[in-house]
Amino acid sequence: MQLVAAVAAVGEPRQVRPAVAAAENATHWWRTAVAAQRALRAEALEHADFYDLTAEAVGTLRSIEELAELLARQVGGYGSGRVLRDDAGCDPAARLVRAVADVASLRIAVTSALAEGERFWSSIGHIGLEIDPTSGPEEGRP
């Protein structure tokens, strides 16, 4: 779902920028992928799909890890030379410090998820269905 205009967290109208539009698009397509995979009957599941979907998930997690690292750097310097405000009346500098800590925690969590995803990708890559070499396409081969 791409938005032409949005409202920022502190209430200013804004145009959706390319990075945000791309992230919205990625979210949409991941939801579509999940729905498509969920719709498969058990007998229609294919090993290649497990492997390929995990490869894409790992790639996505790598991108999110990089984004979290980038956001931590960018947010950390965001107040430099700017007058900030906080929509809840809190100290904006303190809120910014908390935001940097939160995105650093997000990066750590994604890094951990990435390691788990890579292990699963490796594991699933080593298994598959046993195919009877004597059966024809109509007799049990997918």
Side-chain angles (χ1 to χ4, degrees), residues 120-139:
F120 173 67
W121 188 19
S122 177
S123 294
I124 200 66
H126 291 286
I127 63 170
L129 294 176
E130 182 78 30
I131 303 291
D132 180 357
T134 63
S135 69
E138 303 83 34
E139 300 173 18

Side-chain angles (χ1 to χ4, degrees), residues 5-109:
V7 177
V10 289
E12 301 92 14
R14 64 180 176 87
Q15 292 294 95
V16 175
R17 305 203 4 135
V20 174
E24 288 175 348
N25 194 32
T27 298
H28 165 78
W29 287 111
W30 269 115
R31 287 181 179 147
T32 301
V34 169
Q37 187 68 15
R38 183 179 288 128
L40 290 175
R41 296 178 329 273
E43 62 273 7
L45 294 174
E46 292 193 23
H47 172 262
D49 291 346
F50 299 150
Y51 186 82
D52 294 342
L53 283 168
T54 303
E56 295 305 323
V58 164
T60 299
L61 287 169
R62 280 191 188 117
S63 296
I64 294 170
E65 179 186 43
E66 291 173 19
L67 178 62
E69 184 176 334
L70 173 62
L71 288 175
R73 284 196 314 269
Q74 290 177 335
V75 170
Y78 185 66
S80 182
R82 299 177 181 210
V83 177
L84 300 176
R85 63 184 175 84
D86 184 273
D87 63 348
C90 297
D91 175 13
R95 179 90 70 176
L96 205 55
V97 167
R98 179 75 247 166
V100 170
D102 291 340
V103 77
S105 294
L106 172 63
R107 183 181 173 277
I108 291 167

